[in-house]
Amino acid sequence: MSAETEQKLSTLVSSAAQDVSALVRGEIALAKAEVRQDVKEAATGGGLFGAAAVLGVFALIMLCFAAAYGLHATGLGLAWCWLIVAGAFLLVAGVCALIGLARFKRIKGVAATKRSTSRTLTMLRRVDG
């Protein structure tokens, strides 16, 4: 190979390396910009969910008062009305707790990963032995 051809090849390889490097830097910059935008959107969404939760709690408190006073309008004593509303909330809380407990009992952990890892280790031991 002549010196001129080697120099052209060297220049071509150097130029290609610079182009690939610029392309990678550009892709990294694009990824950073996209992540920044996603984080901004997630923060805004999280803040709005938080506001919705706070307002929901206030609304629930107001509904408790409305339910108790609505029952009181039927002629029941106010104390009994509050006990009925509290009992209803305890009933709903109990149902939620039972459903949650059932869901927790369904958790199997990483059983599939354990099986897969065990099989892989067994095969690796066979290859080594």
Side-chain angles (χ1 to χ4, degrees):
M1 202 182 285
S2 70
E4 184 180 323
T5 305
E6 285 181 17
Q7 186 172 1
K8 286 181 182 179
L9 185 59
S10 173
T11 304
L12 186 60
V13 168
S14 175
S15 175
Q18 287 174 351
D19 290 345
V20 167
S21 177
L23 181 62
V24 168
R25 279 194 302 271
E27 290 294 329
I28 290 171
L30 177 61
K32 284 181 181 179
E34 286 178 335
V35 167
R36 263 189 237 111
Q37 182 64 32
D38 287 348
V39 167
K40 243 187 242 184
E41 293 294 329
T44 302
L48 290 172
F49 272 125
V54 168
L55 292 172
V57 167
F58 288 142
L60 187 61
I61 292 168
M62 297 303 291
L63 287 172
C64 289
F65 276 91
Y69 283 109
L71 285 172
H72 182 61
T74 65
L76 282 173
L78 194 55
W80 287 110
C81 296
W82 282 108
L83 284 173
I84 292 169
V85 170
F89 273 97
L90 286 174
L91 182 66
V92 170
V95 169
C96 288
L98 288 175
I99 293 171
L101 186 61
R103 294 286 176 124
F104 276 125
K105 286 183 178 181
R106 281 198 244 165
I107 295 173
K108 294 180 180 123
V110 289
T113 303
K114 287 178 184 177
R115 280 193 309 270
S116 173
T117 304
S118 176
R119 273 190 247 133
T120 302
L121 288 173
T122 301
M123 293 188 76
L124 287 174
R125 286 184 187 129
R126 285 183 196 161
V127 170
D128 283 342

